[in-house]
Amino acid sequence: MALALPLALAACGGDNGGGGGGSDANTLTVWHYENDESAMGQAWARAIEIFEDEHPDVTVKVENQTFEQIQKNASIFLTGDDVPDVMEYNKGNATAGQLASQGLITPLTDEAESRGWGDILPASIQTTGMYDEQGLMGSGDWYGVANYGEFVGNYYNDDMFTANGIAIPTTFEEFEAALAAFKEKGITPLAEAGSEYPMGQLWYELVLHYGDRSLVDDYQLFKGDVDFHDDAFTQATNKLDEWIKAGYIASDSAALTAEDMGVSFINGTYPIMVSGSWWFGRLNEEIPFQWSQGLFPGNDLHPGSSGNLWVVPENAANKDLAYDFIDITLSDEVQEILGQAGGLPVASTDASGITDEKTREMTENFNTVLDEDGLAFYPDWPVAGFYDVIVSEMQSLINQSKTPDEVLDSLSSAYEDGKTDLLEG
């Protein structure tokens, strides 16, 4: 989600001419789509410097690409020989899994074992880099390596809480009580957006509140059948419907975008926003009031995942150099730069050295999730096209044009059709 917009990349080290890895054994070609000022951009720039120090005879060349260019064209350009040695790519069945099943990216299991990546990365982070022969995430060989993370949590307008004599909630019961208390004072408590991802992520937070890890494994990894009318899905959807009826979510939210939601929270319209860590940097820069952050109260599982993956094209000319570079991005020094800049390091859970208080707090929250193996991925991940279905069904719930049972029927139908297509395709 944080990388949904194309970001041009300036060259780091070496020249920035065209062409991929080619046949030059003294060049490491890297493709990624982070801007220079982002946490990842800063961390990877340092990784390149370290790589060049350790490989003085090798030039690092970074190509200008965007998220969309790589996402849309990877399966085409990776069939040729003019490819990068290592590139950033999106995780999931329909992306990295597809390339893995097509034999377009290199299995990394041997490297992961010899370099200890499995000892460094938490289990739920490893999951997004592993794919079976069908390209399904969560088992089989390593095909990608993540070095940063993301998660969904709560952002609070502390000034609004204080002004209305309401305490920041630490339990689910306190969270519901806060919603009711704000509404009683004439304040709609939740900043939301129904035309894009936020409402679906709130729904999924509730599913995870009532569910457990086995539900996540069945839903996301197809380890078992999923009943959309079981206790967790039913309670979650009924609870969200209850909140809508109570006025905890604005009636016009169905038409609002994530940007609308974020701006309204920044402007102080709503006291609570449930959304991802990708908002952190902007909130930290733009919010004019006292604010805080926390995990969704009462949950052991949370929407979130690794960030995007480093993958090595099967036709890459310099795979050993690519493996060395990936290894450096997992080093303590690079992970610390990532953390200090507001990213979420995954190869280190020590946040004590992060100097900015709010950045340290966010990283500590993420570390809590990792320590509990609490990453549950995102609700739209399991099957192709499910994102649009979730958005549509959440809009129907906001508009009260469908009952919770009808919403669950539609979600179940789309999920099962998509699952069949994946498993039998």
Side-chain angles (χ1 to χ4, degrees), residues 138-364:
S139 63
D141 277 318
W142 287 62
Y143 282 92
V145 181
N147 57 75
Y148 71 99
E150 58 191 41
F151 71 107
V152 174
N154 290 7
Y155 296 102
Y156 300 109
N157 182 326
D158 291 359
D159 287 351
M160 289 185 75
F161 273 85
T162 299
N164 289 279
I166 300 170
I168 300 294
T170 59
T171 67
F172 186 73
E173 292 73 22
E174 290 176 358
F175 184 73
E176 281 205 283
L179 298 180
F182 275 114
K183 185 59 182 176
E184 189 174 328
K185 293 177 179 291
I187 300 170
T188 301
L190 289 169
E192 263 305 333
S195 71
E196 292 180 338
Y197 65 86
M199 190 68 175
Q201 291 183 354
L202 176 61
W203 169 76
Y204 193 48
E205 286 276 24
L206 290 170
V207 172
L208 298 174
H209 178 72
Y210 295 110
D212 56 19
R213 175 56 68 180
S214 65
L215 179 145
V216 173
D217 288 346
D218 293 343
Y219 178 72
Q220 297 281 0
L221 307 178
F222 304 154
K223 290 189 175 181
D225 293 332
V226 175
D227 178 5
F228 276 80
H229 289 280
D230 72 1
D231 288 344
F233 283 103
T234 298
Q235 288 183 82
T237 311
N238 284 338
K239 179 60 70 176
L240 189 55
D241 185 60
E242 177 186 322
W243 288 359
I244 292 167
K245 285 183 169 69
Y248 299 164
I249 295 167
S251 59
D252 65 351
S253 293
L256 299 182
T257 65
E259 175 70 9
D260 295 329
M261 175 195 71
V263 169
S264 69
F265 181 73
I266 291 170
N267 291 341
T269 304
Y270 301 97
I272 303 169
M273 183 173 79
V274 181
S275 199
S277 54
W278 49 88
W279 280 101
F280 173 80
R282 183 172 174 186
L283 299 183
N284 209 22
E285 289 181 5
E286 298 182 16
I287 284 180
F289 48 80
Q290 293 295 315
W291 65 283
S292 59
Q293 55 193 306
L295 299 175
F296 194 85
N299 277 27
D300 295 324
L301 297 166
H302 305 269
S305 74
S306 74
N308 290 313
L309 306 173
W310 289 124
V311 299
V312 177
E314 182 59 30
N315 292 341
N318 301 310
K319 292 183 181 180
D320 286 339
L321 295 180
Y323 305 148
D324 288 348
F325 175 74
I326 292 172
D327 205 43
I328 290 170
T329 67
L330 294 173
S331 68
D332 290 343
E333 180 179 354
V334 173
Q335 290 284 295
E336 182 178 355
I337 291 171
L338 185 70
Q340 294 285 5
L344 291 171
V346 293
S348 171
T349 58
D350 182 11
S352 60
I354 296 176
T355 54
D356 180 76
E357 182 179 349
K358 286 194 178 299
T359 301
R360 184 171 63 252
E361 181 184 17
M362 179 183 65
T363 304
E364 288 171 347

Side-chain angles (χ1 to χ4, degrees), residues 14 48 79 89 111 117 163 223 257 280 286 329 358 361 387-388 393 409 417:
I48 289 170
T79 60
Y89 198 61
E111 291 299 320
W117 294 340
K223 290 189 175 181
T257 65
F280 173 80
E286 298 182 16
T329 67
K358 286 194 178 299
E361 181 184 17
Y387 174 86
D388 291 334
E393 295 307 313
D409 285 341
D417 288 347

Side-chain angles (χ1 to χ4, degrees), residues 99-110:
L99 297 187
S101 68
Q102 294 171 342
L104 296 176
I105 53 178
T106 305
L108 303 175
T109 302
D110 290 345

Side-chain angles (χ1 to χ4, degrees), residues 363-420:
T363 304
E364 288 171 347
N365 286 333
F366 184 61
N367 288 343
T368 296
V369 177
L370 293 181
D371 290 344
E372 296 175 352
D373 191 28
L375 289 178
F377 317 119
Y378 293 103
D380 58 295
W381 271 23
V383 299
F386 205 40
Y387 174 86
D388 291 334
V389 176
I390 291 175
V391 168
S392 176
E393 295 307 313
M394 293 301 107
Q395 288 177 314
S396 296
L397 206 60
I398 295 171
N399 293 331
Q400 296 289 281
S401 60
K402 284 188 176 181
T403 66
D405 277 347
E406 290 171 334
V407 166
L408 290 171
D409 285 341
S410 297
L411 291 173
S412 178
S413 177
Y415 177 90
E416 294 300 334
D417 288 347
K419 180 178 176 181
T420 298

